[in-house]
Amino acid sequence: MPSSSDSPNSPSPIPISTAVVCGVLALATAYPLLRLLLGGFFVPGEGLTLGPLMEVAKNPSTWMVLKNTFVVSLAATAISIVIGTSGALLVVKSDIPFKGAITAATLLFLLLPPYVQALGWLQLWGPVGWFNRLASLIAGKRVVVWNAYGLDGTIALLGILHYPVVYLSTMAALRNIPPEVEEVAATFGFKRWRILSRITIPLAAPGIAAGGVLAFVGSLGNFGVPALVALPSGLIVLSTYIFQQVVGFTEVSFAKVTILASLGAIVAVGGLYFQHRLIRKAHYRTPSSAKEPYRFAIGRTRFILSATVLIFLGCAALGPIAALILTSLLPAYGVKLSLSTATLKNYAFVLFGLNETWRATFNSLVLAAGAAAATIALGFVVARGVARRKGIFLWIDRVGSIPYAIPGTVFALAMILSWVDPWLPLHIYGTRWVMLLAYVARFFTIATRTLAAGFLQLDPSYEEAAQVVGLKPIRKFVRITLPLLRSHWQAAVLLVFVTALTELTVSGLLWTSGNETIGVTVYNLEAAGYTTYSTAFSVLVTLLFGFALFLLRRYGTSLFGR
């Protein structure tokens, strides 16, 4: 809600709305992060100590986990940069056809939950996946051309899942290059590749690097892909290591896990700070924006390149979904699929025979609706201040973005440390309230950034005119601000709601019996070996996201450039 102190002559005390935002974020964000930082140096009965830090440093498994994490994240980032940069160059700097279809297919990777894509990937490229079945059919004997489980599969999938962030970041940088720079070079007879290597790519380098940092942080904090693709092969990374230690109650104490979690959080926050600096640098180099970027005419090759890109996107984005559908029609995993064996009984069981389905759906709907309502209310207060560059709101925005930036398992561990033995008289651990609080902290920045973009486009004279005619703050908010920002707050509601609806990383550590969510149920089915049920549930989730995609396009979110 808007502040009640809009008048230039208003008193200096902090408005109630700002105080409420600070109070909620103090509980949801600052308090858990403080407990996380202290948790690594506090052992019950010993007090503050460096013992856990020394034990973690001496433990060979620590270095093994960190090595695996950085190898996977760096290799996946390299793949993301190659694919994302190539795609952005083709779409922005060439005259290939079907650019809209390429961008829409690319965004599918961002909209579908990673664990759904990981399941589809395994059904397509697993040892008994559809690709290896086809290869066996052609060879006349059982062959495994490639097994997606393991290091290479994890790297490849994370690289593909996160290339869209490099693609979008690079596109923005390329469109920011003044066309006259490349036009002058072409006038002087520079060849196409020389212009690209000497002018275009160097000017876009900060944008490429910024997207690469985001891809690295995303790979570092991803839980669904390592849990489903890497863990069954014995490959452990930081996110799955934390999950194993917390869920399994192994001999490793919380203090030791907390130190590793804090390290992951520091790397993630440092990466995002570096990315922010790169974006600022990009804007410094290319201060003027171009409406129509300079494009290279590539002749008939453009059709071949466009077809190649669309085939790749079809295999990478639609292939796993098709594999999920095929597997969900099997009467049992491993049985040959034919018209006589295809069945819908897996869908019938998931919808009508599995108690967790509707309970998880209800829990996810309640949590997603609660998170959307809370983050939008808080976001309106902060976004308005961020758009007007007010210091306190800029700091609230920065602190509030940390839970989204750090790995989900790390923030879930912070919530456990905070609420299993709280300093405050609030006993919410084991209830939906702790999950809702975690969702609010995690998705607050999505709502705030989306609304801030709307406030930046809003002419302040509208609100000033309403103030002159004597409208009270609440009436001004309802009659002026809400209608003018309708597309932005609708987009923010949908983005937070859809993201929270199928969340897995935080829920996977905070859920208790009776509080399952959709993501937890799908993961538990797959982990228990009920692959046909997990794929059927995943197909239903995909349909849900298809409906959400339709709503996002219907209400004109900026994701689609409207």
Side-chain angles (χ1 to χ4, degrees):
M1 297 294 164
S3 163
S4 61
S5 60
D6 293 331
S7 169
N9 298 321
S10 60
S12 57
I14 297 177
I16 294 177
S17 56
T18 307
V20 170
V21 171
C22 292
V24 172
L25 292 185
L27 278 178
T29 300
Y31 170 56
L33 292 176
L34 178 63
R35 291 293 301 263
L36 179 69
L37 290 175
L38 294 178
F41 302 96
F42 182 83
V43 176
E46 298 182 22
L48 291 176
T49 175
L50 293 177
L53 177 62
M54 300 305 295
E55 289 185 42
V56 167
K58 294 178 181 176
N59 190 345
S61 63
T62 299
W63 301 106
M64 181 269 294
V65 168
L66 292 178
K67 176 188 172 186
N68 291 341
T69 303
F70 281 96
V71 166
V72 168
S73 301
L74 289 173
T77 301
I79 293 175
S80 299
I81 289 176
V82 171
I83 300 176
T85 304
S86 303
L89 282 170
L90 282 174
V91 169
V92 178
K93 290 296 178 182
S94 78
D95 56 352
I96 63 168
F98 307 115
K99 294 181 178 180
I102 292 172
T103 299
T106 299
L107 291 177
L108 278 177
F109 293 102
L110 292 178
L111 295 174
L112 283 177
Y115 59 85
V116 170
Q117 298 185 61
L119 273 178
W121 181 268
L122 292 175
Q123 299 315 308
L124 188 63
W125 299 103
V128 290
W130 294 100
F131 179 82
N132 284 320
R133 290 188 192 194
L134 179 62
S136 300
L137 184 65
I138 295 173
K141 60 180 181 180
R142 175 170 166 70
V143 295
V144 178
V145 178
W146 185 53
N147 181 2
Y149 286 103
L151 178 66
D152 49 351
T154 306
I155 291 172
L157 182 53
L158 285 174
I160 290 176
L161 285 183
H162 293 113
Y163 96 81
V165 296
V166 181
Y167 175 83
L168 294 175
S169 177
T170 306
M171 281 182 70
L174 290 172
R175 285 174 174 158
N176 199 34
I177 297 175
E180 57 268 21
V181 177
E182 292 151 311
E183 289 170 357
V184 169
T187 303
F188 280 96
F190 279 62
K191 299 295 184 184
R192 184 184 307 160
W193 290 109
R194 198 173 178 190
I195 296 174
L196 276 175
S197 61
R198 296 288 184 88
I199 298 174
T200 307
I201 293 178
L203 285 176
I208 298 171
V213 172
L214 284 179
F216 175 78
V217 173
S219 299
L220 183 75
N222 193 290
F223 170 73
V225 173
L228 291 170
V229 182
L231 206 53
S233 67
L235 178 68
I236 302 174
V237 297
L238 184 60
S239 59
T240 51
Y241 182 74
I242 294 172
F243 180 82
Q244 283 183 322
Q245 302 307 319
V246 175
V247 174
F249 293 102
T250 64
E251 71 279 2
V252 180
S253 71
F254 261 33
K256 299 173 190 173
V257 181
T258 301
I259 288 175
L260 282 174
S262 301
L263 178 62
I266 291 170
V267 172
V269 173
L272 289 180
Y273 175 76
F274 181 56
Q275 184 255 354
H276 178 69
R277 294 292 301 269
L278 288 171
I279 289 177
R280 291 181 61 183
K281 189 176 181 180
H283 281 287
Y284 172 75
R285 285 189 174 186
T286 57
S288 65
S289 58
K291 289 184 179 179
E292 289 296 331
Y294 180 83
R295 292 192 174 91
F296 300 96
I298 55 178
R300 294 179 180 177
T301 312
R302 66 183 188 276
F303 295 107
I304 299 175
L305 287 174
S306 181
T308 304
V309 173
L310 288 174
I311 290 172
F312 164 75
L313 290 173
C315 294
L318 302 180
I321 296 175
L324 279 177
I325 295 172
L326 292 175
T327 303
S328 68
L329 297 176
L330 292 174
Y333 195 55
V335 174
K336 184 178 179 181
L337 181 65
S338 65
L339 289 177
S340 60
T341 59
T343 177
L344 295 176
K345 73 171 189 178
N346 297 317
Y347 291 95
F349 176 78
V350 167
L351 288 173
F352 307 111
L354 186 66
N355 293 330
E356 287 86 351
T357 300
W358 294 107
R359 192 165 63 214
T361 304
F362 174 77
N363 289 334
S364 291
L365 286 172
V366 169
L367 289 170
T375 54
I376 295 301
L378 299 173
F380 262 115
V381 178
V382 179
R384 190 163 178 266
V386 169
R388 297 185 178 186
R389 308 297 298 171
K390 291 185 177 179
I392 184 173
F393 294 107
L394 293 175
W395 278 107
I396 291 174
D397 178 55
R398 289 166 187 157
V399 174
S401 66
I402 294 177
Y404 190 73
I406 65 177
T409 49
V410 172
F411 188 67
L413 178 60
M415 295 297 289
I416 293 173
L417 289 169
S418 303
W419 299 108
V420 74
D421 181 22
W423 290 349
L424 306 168
L426 290 174
H427 300 283
I428 59 175
Y429 185 74
T431 70
R432 287 195 202 103
W433 290 105
V434 72
M435 298 173 73
L436 178 61
L437 202 60
Y439 280 22
V440 170
R442 190 117 166 102
F443 304 129
F444 163 78
T445 193
I446 295 178
T448 302
R449 299 294 170 89
T450 306
L451 292 171
F455 274 111
L456 283 171
Q457 298 174 354
L458 182 65
D459 190 338
S461 62
Y462 288 106
E463 292 187 321
E464 292 169 0
Q467 196 166 320
V468 169
V469 300
L471 282 183
K472 298 293 184 185
I474 297 297
R475 291 190 68 188
K476 182 178 69 176
F477 176 73
V478 173
R479 300 184 64 176
I480 304 294
T481 308
L482 273 183
L484 290 176
L485 295 181
R486 184 171 59 183
S487 63
H488 289 87
W489 65 258
Q490 284 175 339
V493 168
L494 283 171
L495 286 173
V496 173
F497 184 85
V498 169
T499 307
L501 191 62
T502 53
E503 202 281 339
L504 169 63
T505 310
V506 172
S507 311
L509 283 176
L510 294 179
W511 77 281
T512 54
S513 180
N515 293 328
E516 306 93 337
T517 61
I518 291 176
V520 168
T521 304
V522 171
Y523 176 75
N524 286 344
L525 285 171
E526 179 64 20
Y530 298 113
T531 299
T532 52
Y533 297 149
S534 67
T535 53
F537 206 162
S538 296
V539 171
L540 296 175
V541 171
T542 303
L543 292 175
L544 185 66
F545 267 77
F547 180 65
L549 186 65
F550 166 77
L551 291 179
L552 284 170
R553 289 190 65 89
R554 171 69 178 80
Y555 290 108
T557 173
S558 58
L559 275 174
F560 296 92
R562 294 176 56 180

